[in-house]
Amino acid sequence: MVPQKQGESAIVSLGANETEPDEQRGEERVDQSMSSVKSLLWHGGSVYDAWFSCASNQVAQVLLTLPYSFSQLGMLSGVLFQVFYGLMGSWTAYLISVLYVEYRTRKERENFSFKNHVIQWFEVLDGLLGPYWKAVGLAFNCTFLLFGSVIQLIACASNIYYINDKLDKRTWTYIFGACCATTVFIPSFHNYRIWSFLGLGMTTYTAWYLTIASFVHGQVEGVTHSGPTKLVLYFTGATNILYTFGGHAVTVEIMHAMWKPQKFKYIYLFATFYVFTLTIPSASAVYWAFGDQLLNHSNAFSLLPRTRFRDAAVILMLIHQFITFGFACTPLYFVWEKVVGVHDTNSMCLRALVRLPVVIPIWFLAIIFPFFGPINSAVGALLVSFTVYIIPALAHMLTYRTASARRNAAEKPPFFLPSWTAMYMVNAFVVVWVFVVGFGFGGWASMTNFIKQVDTFGLFAKCYQCKPPTPAHH
């Protein structure tokens, strides 16, 4: 009897051993499929992810203010400034990528690990040029990103008002401030893969909606295209375009999220070429249709008749502005985490809790200065001019000022500009042009326009540039 029981138990044991591997394999397959889905939607670090991030982050709400800039500049100047500043912005983004690679190469030679540390622009400046440059870079970058986030909140309130005007724009700012605060739970730029892809699709729809809807609507009766008429308006419009193509304050963070950051060099340029296909047709078409009316309507949605296509564009832009808010705020979250001392922790809940105070001043400033359009120009002149044009060009010139630095450079001059002297000349031109035209004339014009808005509408304006709702178009 005993051997028989032993045989039975052996059979049972054998059956269990046969079923366990099947169950384990099934669990492993489920885990692998879940991991692959999570990787597909969540963990991005390829060249394509970086391209989507750059293109998606570059346009956003400024797409709606470019027709306003065209009314200030005129059609020809509007197109020329877009091409000019788009190429200039691509050049300084290239310089930032070169300096990032140089900094990281030097640190890795010293066996420094970046396993739980996100490199940021001010740290690159600190490592290459010292603490004074770190302080300057930190001040300009953080202030720019702060107001960049403010602009997204203002744009959200401005857009949703054209669908639901039962609440004023200030109330909508309260609501969207709370919604955008949820971005504290997105760990880093690795996790923006699906958001960047969707964001660019939304912007593409909105741009082509503006273009097609303007041509379908046709020119308004008695339309005039008198721009440019005043220097103040001209340089205000030019500075808004400077801001449009100066969206690479997050370049270093996007590069750090890549698996191979060395491949970033020309990504911003290719992203800019795509953005041209959105911004130039849409701004030109809206300006052609409405002309000088845009001088008093900084949001292009305000002039187009309400249809289901316009409502779809508004909703898509709202979602995209939420994404862009996260793009602008994430570097600020990183800086604050480093100040508080929780940047290296693996607890996302702790990091999210620490990040929340960053959202409060953004929320407050959006309520104080709800001037959609003029604030873009002011930020472009006073902050973007230094953050993404002047400082990168100067930093590149100073980093490679010695023969030994040029000889040991991690990245040599590009194939289309193989001489260090030629690079110095281009960088010097960028510094002088942006300082004189962007910061000088642009700062004077944009602040004059901004102060005019404050005098006209006051601080804490309840509903900036509001008007009775446009009747539905059947």
Side-chain angles (χ1 to χ4, degrees):
M1 294 295 294
V2 175
Q4 185 179 357
K5 287 182 179 180
Q6 287 177 345
E8 290 174 355
S9 63
I11 293 170
V12 171
S13 175
L14 180 61
N17 289 335
E18 286 177 348
T19 56
E20 282 179 10
D22 289 338
E23 292 175 358
Q24 289 174 357
R25 290 192 198 99
E27 290 175 0
E28 287 175 2
R29 280 195 293 269
V30 171
D31 290 340
Q32 287 175 357
S33 62
M34 290 291 290
S35 177
S36 62
V37 170
K38 186 177 179 182
S39 177
L40 177 65
L41 300 179
W42 190 248
H43 295 295
S46 68
V47 170
Y48 302 103
D49 290 309
W51 184 85
F52 276 112
S53 294
C54 289
S56 176
N57 186 48
Q58 195 174 134
V59 279
Q61 105 298 331
V62 80
L63 188 72
L64 307 175
T65 65
L66 284 174
Y68 168 67
S69 297
F70 269 48
S71 69
Q72 297 168 320
L73 288 165
M75 187 77 77
L76 179 61
S77 291
V79 173
L80 291 178
F81 269 116
Q82 281 204 43
V83 174
F84 176 66
Y85 282 132
L87 296 177
M88 186 182 288
S90 299
W91 172 253
T92 53
Y94 168 78
L95 297 180
I96 292 172
S97 71
V98 168
L99 294 172
Y100 169 87
V101 171
E102 182 69 37
Y103 168 77
R104 185 159 184 170
T105 302
R106 293 184 186 183
K107 282 295 183 182
E108 287 175 346
R109 286 174 186 161
E110 300 170 5
N111 296 320
F112 194 89
S113 174
F114 296 104
K115 184 178 180 181
N116 291 321
H117 184 91
V118 176
I119 300 173
Q120 294 188 267
W121 176 228
F122 68 89
E123 293 170 319
V124 173
L125 292 173
D126 183 29
L128 297 178
L129 298 173
Y132 292 110
W133 278 86
K134 173 187 176 181
V136 171
L138 184 62
F140 274 106
N141 215 45
C142 287
T143 310
F144 167 47
L145 291 170
L146 179 76
F147 278 97
S149 304
V150 168
I151 289 169
Q152 300 309 318
L153 278 188
I154 296 170
C156 285
S158 178
N159 289 344
I160 192 63
Y161 182 79
Y162 297 116
I163 288 182
N164 186 338
D165 58 1
K166 293 179 180 178
L167 299 176
D168 58 75
K169 292 181 182 179
R170 188 169 65 192
T171 304
W172 281 119
T173 304
Y174 293 140
I175 295 169
F176 278 99
C179 294
C180 289
T182 58
T183 57
V184 298
F185 292 101
I186 302 177
S188 72
F189 283 97
H190 272 299
N191 313 114
Y192 274 97
R193 164 173 277 184
I194 187 63
W195 296 114
S196 298
F197 177 78
L198 292 175
L200 190 58
M202 294 167 187
T203 309
T204 301
Y205 171 87
T206 304
W208 286 108
Y209 158 74
L210 292 173
T211 305
I212 296 169
S214 297
F215 285 125
V216 170
H217 180 277
Q219 291 186 311
V220 295
E221 185 178 352
V223 64
T224 55
H225 301 87
S226 57
T229 56
K230 299 178 181 178
L231 281 177
V232 169
L233 295 179
Y234 188 83
F235 285 108
T236 300
T239 311
N240 186 41
I241 295 178
L242 178 82
Y243 169 80
T244 303
F245 295 98
H248 43 285
V250 295
T251 298
V252 171
E253 288 82 1
I254 291 173
M255 284 188 69
H256 191 81
M258 292 179 68
W259 299 317
K260 295 180 179 179
Q262 294 83 355
K263 292 186 176 182
F264 182 88
K265 287 185 285 188
Y266 305 117
I267 287 176
Y268 196 89
L269 177 63
F270 295 139
T272 300
F273 286 153
Y274 181 78
V275 168
F276 282 155
T277 69
L278 305 180
T279 57
I280 294 176
S282 61
S284 302
V286 177
Y287 179 54
W288 169 83
F290 297 100
D292 291 347
Q293 285 189 20
L294 286 159
L295 290 169
N296 297 315
H297 296 84
S298 52
N299 189 327
F301 282 145
S302 64
L303 290 173
L304 289 163
R306 182 172 181 180
T307 64
R308 62 181 182 276
F309 297 109
R310 196 196 74 166
D311 287 355
V314 171
I315 293 168
L316 292 178
M317 282 303 292
L318 286 172
I319 299 170
H320 187 221
Q321 280 152 0
F322 168 81
I323 298 167
T324 309
F325 181 93
F327 266 109
C329 249
T330 299
L332 293 175
Y333 295 153
F334 292 156
V335 172
W336 185 241
E337 287 171 3
K338 292 170 184 177
V339 170
V340 177
V342 300
H343 184 63
D344 296 334
T345 185
N346 290 323
S347 173
M348 196 56 233
C349 291
L350 177 60
R351 291 174 66 188
L353 186 64
V354 168
R355 289 173 170 189
L356 274 176
V358 176
V359 181
I360 295 172
I362 296 170
W363 207 352
F364 189 62
L365 287 169
I367 296 166
I368 297 177
F369 305 113
F371 309 123
F372 190 80
I375 196 173
N376 285 14
S377 300
V379 170
L382 304 180
L383 299 172
V384 174
S385 57
F386 282 94
T387 303
V388 297
Y389 292 99
I390 294 174
I391 291 176
L394 283 175
H396 189 274
M397 294 168 72
L398 293 174
T399 299
Y400 298 108
R401 64 188 180 277
T402 63
S404 60
R406 293 192 292 272
R407 186 169 53 252
N408 299 317
E411 292 283 342
K412 301 301 180 184
F415 70 92
F416 58 87
L417 204 68
S419 166
W420 285 102
T421 303
M423 289 194 72
Y424 266 67
M425 292 175 65
V426 173
N427 288 340
F429 171 78
V430 170
V431 171
V432 173
W433 176 276
V434 175
F435 185 79
V436 174
V437 178
F439 176 71
F441 290 109
W444 160 73
S446 59
M447 287 309 298
T448 301
N449 190 33
F450 188 81
I451 292 169
K452 178 184 176 184
Q453 304 301 315
V454 174
D455 291 340
T456 304
F457 295 94
L459 300 177
F460 298 97
K462 191 173 184 180
C463 212
Y464 173 68
Q465 286 188 347
C466 293
K467 68 171 188 175
T470 306
H473 179 71
H474 299 289

